[in-house]
Amino acid sequence: MLRPSFSSEHRTVPKALLNPNYSDKNILLLQGPVGPFFRNLAKDLEANGNRVFKINFNAGDALFYPIADHYRDKLENFADYLQQYLEQHQIDSVVLFGDCRPIHLTALEVIRPLKLDIFVFEEGYIRPNHITLEQVGVNGNSLLPKNAEYYLEQPLIPKQHVIPIGSTFWHTVGWVVLYYLAATLFSFLFPHYQHHRPLHIGEGLYWIRGTWRKWWYKYQERGIEKRLVLQLSRQYFLVPLQLPGDAQVKYHSSFNSIEHFIQTVITSFARYAPKDTHLIIKQHPLDRGYNNYAPTIQRLAQSFSITDRVRYIHDQNLPRLLRNTRGVVVINSTVGLSALYHHAPTKVCGEAVYDIPQMCYQGSLDQFWQATQAFKVNQALCEQYLHYLEHRCQINGSFYRKIAGSTSQTGLNLVEDVAASEVSP
């Protein structure tokens, strides 16, 4: 795992990037989320008096940010290219989306010793109405403290006003389709590029299948949610799955696949959970079109003779499930934060920013099943932590859809975030 080692004088508050006072900088944008977000971000940064540079790595990048530099060589040569680029343009700050993409892992090895400002965007820790912006790294590479006392000693931080984003599903689908089409049809322009996920037109078929499956599962699983939250309230454990290609799983856990995680959880549940409890495994909605774990789950449940206690579900209302569960088991999904919001005992099996004593259970997974009745989430700590997190590194907005009435090109709600960027951690 990469653990950045920056001294405090070389770090600033993450949201400072979006503050008008963060000006007169040479800022380099690397790879961003699909869609026009990084191009719009550049307009905001330039409006604040900065000079913005961009490197594209495939035709999908170029579609949404056409006037930029294009890297067409092999990944193993990128470090030398970037070193020269940073010197040539006297770069002060580097901005990227996701710090575990192969390109960005290489880039960070070059950038960190130079003590430049590094700003990393990521999907929101608090969803669905936020995106994440951290300094140096996100998720397992985050610099957020893991000490409960740190948050309890902080002055009371008022909760920010959040503007609901609404559904971003079809906006995301549109940007994904355009990005993948461009990257595939014009791949000959970037012959050495290797994406961190499969990159071909056929990906669209998975999304179509996922949409069809959504309605099929909704019909097939009708009545399950009602039974769980009424008849089985506090008698089931919830296990939300993650995307198999998620960097959180690959770099910040010991699991080599989602199947490995499922096997670990079912084995432990079968051996150590109370006999009157049930295990509810929930599919990640964006993995719906790609994978069906039913055969794996059924095989494991049969091997332990617990088929009547294990269920695989898809699109039930997550907040209702969290309010009525006995406990939640995650690798390091942001669903864990939602679980803590609902004061559900949570066991983290990987590395997560919120895996903090008094908030998350710190014993083993085998012990967790029996311990949930006695373990209580420190609600005061949890509330303070969530408010701190929102204030420190969460921005009200979306990468894929603008907030109506926003005055920024990115479409983010920056009214309170500008003030937050001037507050020391």
Side-chain angles (χ1 to χ4, degrees), residues 207-236:
W207 284 75
I208 294 173
R209 183 167 70 176
T211 302
W212 176 85
R213 281 181 172 176
K214 175 181 175 67
W215 296 108
W216 167 245
Y217 289 138
K218 183 176 182 179
Y219 170 77
Q220 189 182 47
E221 298 175 358
R222 62 195 185 281
I224 289 178
E225 181 182 316
K226 185 177 181 180
R227 179 169 183 260
L228 290 175
V229 302
L230 294 179
Q231 299 177 26
L232 295 179
S233 181
R234 298 292 184 269
Q235 289 182 254
Y236 66 87

Side-chain angles (χ1 to χ4, degrees), residues 11-12 47 56 62 68 99 117 125 135 156 167 186 194 233 239 252 265 273 279 313 336 340 425:
R11 289 188 282 114
T12 184
N56 291 331
D99 60 0
D117 283 339
Y125 292 151
Q135 191 81 13
L156 183 64
S167 174
F186 298 96
Q194 293 183 337
S233 181
V239 183
H252 303 306
V265 171
L279 187 68
I313 65 173
L340 293 173

Side-chain angles (χ1 to χ4, degrees), residues 169-185:
F169 178 78
W170 291 111
H171 294 79
T172 307
V173 169
W175 299 136
V176 167
V177 170
L178 290 174
Y179 184 91
Y180 276 61
L181 277 173
T184 303
L185 294 175

Side-chain angles (χ1 to χ4, degrees), residues 60-61 184 275 351 375 412:
D61 295 341
T184 303
K275 301 304 180 183
E351 185 173 4
F375 178 78
L412 302 175

Side-chain angles (χ1 to χ4, degrees), residues 296-309:
T296 298
I297 293 171
Q298 185 177 18
R299 174 179 56 80
L300 289 167
Q302 287 177 342
S303 70
F304 289 105
S305 301
I306 55 171
T307 52
D308 59 333
R309 297 171 56 203

